[in-house]
Amino acid sequence: MEQKACLILVIFTCLIASSCGRELKVDHKHKLPVYNHTLATILVEYASAVYISDLTELFTWTCERCNGLTKGFEVIELVVDIENCLQVHLFVHLSEWRRILMPLLLPLEERRNTVKEAKEFYGDLDIMVTGHSMGGAMASFCALDLVVNHEAESVQVITFGQPRIGNAAFASYYAKLVPNTIRVTNDHDIVPHLPPYYYYFPQKTYHHFPREVWLYSLGLGSLVYRVEKVCDGSGEDPTCSRSVTGNSIMDHLNYYGVDLMCQEWRSCRIVMDPRVAEYGKTDREGNFILSRAPATRVQLNEGEVKASA
């Protein structure tokens, strides 16, 4: 009996040892994207706007977070999923990039139609998708949906602190179809470590897709430097965020010095000037969409909300 138990233990150990050398790699024969620090710092400020509960400020782009690097964005559509407490923002920035930007996206037909209308009006716009945390995961799915189901081209993705969303096979599939993707992770941020990565069970584990850029601090005492490390194309570079424990919530809530959270903790709640509601429609579940025609804007003028060319 003891010999049998020992044999089972040896076989199990051998299985683990042999699996160590079979860690699945993401197929990334395509050219890896180039990290653009300036673009990332702009998008993180833009992504932080989803944590504003005042939809009037968002729709008119007059919130505190709607200045600085994000000044000049033109809102096209704002979708609110009441049941799941999720928001969709579609904006156009023409002065620098001529791109449609979308943080925390949902797979809604209205979103696809709006993108189509914007491209018809403004011309051949590139599509930029961004989001933070779960919004980053949904942004990735959104980008894949645009490419696979709607034959979108020039789709670029930059997410912040997103979790793993599939296995190695999915990561390879995603990397092939949406190669221009950057996942930014921050120090010991807990979310990029979820769901956990099991090195010994490569067929069963969740796996990040490339390319990761890891932000971390280097130094001691007052001599601390912020490093932005561009990781390899595996999606699971052992010298990047996987080299540390994911045990920090605070590292998840601030990227590039930008807070990615609500100003005060509360359950899902939104406020909106009733006069803004004239630009929207509501479905039977209470979800609603605020939208405007391209090249117009919604602004507050002497207490009135109006659209102007």
Side-chain angles (χ1 to χ4, degrees), residues 183-256:
R183 293 182 303 101
V184 184
T185 58
N186 183 38
D187 232 330
H188 291 256
D189 184 347
I190 186 174
V191 175
H193 291 259
L194 301 174
Y197 181 87
Y198 297 108
Y199 181 86
Y200 292 102
F201 302 99
Q203 297 287 353
K204 301 296 184 181
T205 192
Y206 279 75
H207 197 295
H208 273 306
F209 49 77
R211 160 170 255 181
E212 177 187 5
V213 172
W214 184 39
L215 314 177
Y216 67 99
S217 298
L218 183 65
L220 293 173
S222 60
L223 298 176
V224 177
Y225 302 93
R226 291 295 291 171
V227 180
E228 301 178 7
K229 180 175 181 178
V230 179
C231 309
D232 66 22
S234 69
E236 293 288 347
D237 189 335
T239 66
C240 286
S241 64
R242 255 185 64 189
S243 67
V244 299
T245 56
N247 57 8
S248 175
I249 295 177
M250 294 308 299
D251 286 346
H252 181 64
L253 301 179
N254 188 288
Y255 273 66
Y256 299 100

Side-chain angles (χ1 to χ4, degrees), residues 139-164:
S140 301
F141 283 126
C142 171
L144 188 61
D145 174 60
L146 288 170
V147 172
V148 173
N149 297 319
H150 303 281
E151 300 180 350
E153 298 179 355
S154 301
V155 178
Q156 184 175 358
V157 179
I158 296 183
T159 66
F160 307 94
Q162 80 163 79
R164 296 182 177 96

Side-chain angles (χ1 to χ4, degrees), residues 30-102:
H30 56 274
K31 184 178 180 180
L32 290 170
V34 176
Y35 170 61
N36 185 322
H37 167 83
T38 301
L39 180 58
T41 55
I42 292 174
L43 291 185
V44 74
E45 289 201 15
Y46 176 63
S48 73
V50 301
Y51 294 100
I52 300 295
S53 60
D54 190 332
L55 299 187
T56 303
E57 291 184 352
L58 285 176
F59 195 50
T60 58
W61 205 242
T62 56
C63 62
E64 289 184 10
R65 305 183 187 188
C66 305
N67 291 309
L69 296 177
T70 59
K71 186 176 182 179
F73 280 55
E74 296 182 4
V75 59
I76 299 177
E77 188 170 83
L78 194 157
V79 183
V80 178
D81 181 340
I82 296 296
E83 180 180 359
N84 298 300
C85 192
L86 298 174
Q87 296 179 15
V88 182
H89 302 167
L90 287 92
F91 291 78
V92 172
H93 196 293
L94 299 175
S95 62
E96 295 182 17
W97 315 315
R98 290 187 60 79
R99 288 175 178 158
I100 299 174
L101 294 101
M102 303 177 282

